[in-house]
Amino acid sequence: MIRILTALQPSGILHIGNLFGAIEPMVRLQAEKSENLLFIVDYHAITVPQDPAQLRRNILFATATYLAVGIDPEKTILFQQSRISEHTELAWILNCLVHMGELERMTQYKDKARGKGESVSVGLFDYPVLMAADILLYDTNIVPVGEDQKQHVELARDLAERFNSRFGETFVIPQPQIRKEGARIMGLDDPEKKMSKSAPSEKNYISLMDDEATVLKKIKSAVTDSGSTISYEQNRPGLANLLTIYSLVTEKSIDQIVAEYEDKGYGDFKIGLAGAVSAYLTPIQEKINGFLKDERSLLAILDQGATRAKTIAAKKMELIREKIGVRL
Ligand code: ADP
Ligand code: TRP
């Protein structure tokens, strides 16, 4: 059976870009015959400083969010990375195969380390190796990720091949599956750049937890061009982005929406869009809050996911130890 695996960092704010770009595709995959794994990479999160109480809340919030948008823990193995110690164990072994130069070339590391000088953590440098371990431990065939993670999946492939040629066939060579551009939501205040929680202004993104008034305010202040009609054109990126969001939250086609606003202006369009976004988010917010109120059930779901993941990981790790000669 094909195994599909992806993981997300437990970051506090999740915006609609994360939802449509990263979480929804995993929800849709549940209709396939593959075995799917989705996990929260808390040990990747600590490569930059984290407040422990906040990290704990973020892990629970991420779990509640996945469940609220339709991840079914029966169909998807949903778990927390730090619960499966084999991830860090395999990362160590891969550390002994990876070359310094390979990690120095990683774009994400270069971006994140810029300006930090010698004080950047070794964890941040080693981040792609832990990610390779995440993937290889489960004999993963397909890794759905954003374009920015492609280089990391390629490193996982290189390390799998290196290990296999040194110690004999052990790992499946994973394939990255890069999400299409359509799934990329741009910033409301700057449609040339992707929507991101690390943008300087909160007006850049719509958080999953924004209330109706906030959504309206942010959409009203979203950057559009000076035209007055509603149409989808490459050279009107602000409007094109808003139309994409409208289409995603209503499941209507862009043509259909454009037709609805044929003789209306930006004002009506933005009010309509804000209403559609809130109508989409409100039930999700209610579900998230419901799950967060029942922490024991959330923990039980993560426990069950960890048990299933552990079974696969422990067996694979035994084979790996045997291959490298430490299992007597
Ligand atoms: P952020 O830029 O907000 O910090 P992350 O880097 O934590 O987002 O991304 C988490 C996941 O969400 C990744 O899989 C990434 O590809 C996806 N993602 C982030 N921003 C967007 C966006 N604007 N549109 C679509 N997908 C996105
Ligand atoms: N580095 C990925 C990101 O920031 C998260 C991640 C960690 C991941 N381990 C993974 C993604 C394994 C896919 C597979 O988006």
Side-chain angles (χ1 to χ4, degrees):
M1 195 195 303
I2 291 232
R3 204 172 267 161
I4 304 181
L5 167 149
T6 198
L8 290 161
Q9 295 216 32
S11 46
I13 294 166
L14 287 176
H15 50 72
I16 56 171
N18 301 133
L19 178 62
F20 290 115
I23 309 173
E24 279 257 294
M26 281 310 279
V27 175
R28 280 198 299 275
L29 272 177
Q30 293 181 144
E32 308 289 318
K33 288 212 166 61
S34 49
E35 180 169 42
N36 304 327
L37 293 97
L38 173 64
F39 53 104
I40 299 165
V41 285
D42 42 9
Y43 277 170
H44 276 108
I46 62 162
T47 55
V48 296
Q50 299 283 342
D51 172 66
Q54 188 63 46
L55 180 58
R56 182 180 193 281
R57 278 197 296 277
N58 289 350
I59 295 167
L60 292 171
F61 179 72
T63 310
T65 305
Y66 304 154
L67 296 171
V69 299
I71 291 294
D72 174 351
E74 298 300 323
K75 293 189 185 142
T76 299
I77 304 182
L78 176 63
F79 67 103
Q80 201 189 336
Q81 180 191 40
S82 62
R83 289 283 301 274
I84 312 297
S85 51
E86 283 81 357
H87 290 237
T88 40
E89 185 176 355
L90 178 55
W92 177 256
I93 295 170
L94 298 177
N95 269 334
C96 301
L97 286 180
V98 74
H99 306 151
M100 294 290 285
E102 287 174 309
L103 295 182
E104 277 161 1
R105 274 200 298 278
M106 293 288 142
T107 322
Q108 181 178 300
Y109 169 72
K110 285 195 279 189
D111 287 347
K112 290 197 176 176
R114 192 165 296 131
K116 294 212 175 86
E118 292 284 295
S119 70
V120 56
S121 81
V122 172
L124 196 63
F125 184 63
D126 203 32
Y127 179 116
V129 179
L130 180 56
M131 180 162 161
D134 291 343
I135 296 169
L136 301 182
L137 195 53
Y138 297 93
D139 288 327
T140 306
N141 304 94
I142 295 172
V143 189
V145 281
E147 177 67 39
D148 58 323
Q149 296 298 318
K150 190 172 167 213
Q151 200 184 21
H152 292 162
V153 182
E154 277 161 4
L155 178 76
R157 289 169 62 87
D158 291 345
L159 292 178
E161 277 162 8
R162 195 170 304 158
F163 189 104
N164 287 351
S165 73
R166 200 167 297 175
F167 302 107
E169 274 313 300
T170 309
F171 292 123
V172 169
I173 311 298
Q175 282 286 352
Q177 189 181 72
I178 308 302
R179 286 187 291 267
K180 287 196 210 76
E181 273 307 296
R184 201 167 146 95
I185 309 288
M186 311 311 279
L188 297 181
D189 61 348
D190 179 3
E192 303 291 335
K193 293 206 193 98
K194 82 170 184 93
M195 183 176 281
S196 173
K197 64 176 171 294
S198 34
S201 162
E202 283 188 10
K203 287 192 172 160
N204 171 274
Y205 55 80
I206 297 173
S207 147
L208 295 190
M209 298 312 270
D210 279 348
D211 61 22
E212 228 173 305
T214 311
V215 169
L216 183 63
K217 202 167 73 199
K218 287 182 177 176
I219 290 179
K220 275 194 170 167
S221 69
V223 170
T224 42
D225 58 274
S226 55
S228 57
T229 53
I230 305 301
S231 65
Y232 187 91
E233 286 160 51
Q234 291 297 332
N235 61 357
R236 299 173 80 184
L239 184 56
N241 188 41
L242 296 183
L243 279 164
T244 303
I245 297 173
Y246 211 139
S247 165
L248 286 167
V249 296
T250 55
E251 290 182 16
K252 288 182 192 168
S253 72
I254 290 190
D255 287 345
Q256 218 175 329
I257 299 162
V258 168
E260 274 175 39
Y261 287 94
E262 202 183 342
D263 38 39
K264 297 193 180 117
Y266 280 154
D268 286 335
F269 173 73
K270 284 184 165 180
I271 292 171
L273 171 59
V277 169
S278 290
Y280 180 83
L281 289 182
T282 305
I284 295 178
Q285 292 168 351
E286 283 165 6
K287 283 189 198 153
I288 293 177
N289 288 329
F291 283 119
L292 287 175
K293 273 200 206 105
D294 185 6
E295 198 174 298
R296 284 177 64 175
S297 301
L298 277 184
L299 296 178
I301 288 170
L302 288 176
D303 256 351
Q304 177 208 321
T307 306
R308 290 168 73 191
K310 185 82 182 179
T311 309
I312 307 170
K315 188 159 164 247
K316 188 75 191 177
M317 204 60 225
E318 272 295 288
L319 175 73
I320 298 164
R321 290 189 204 103
E322 197 178 301
K323 292 273 185 181
I324 65 168
V326 298
R327 184 162 180 262
L328 306 181

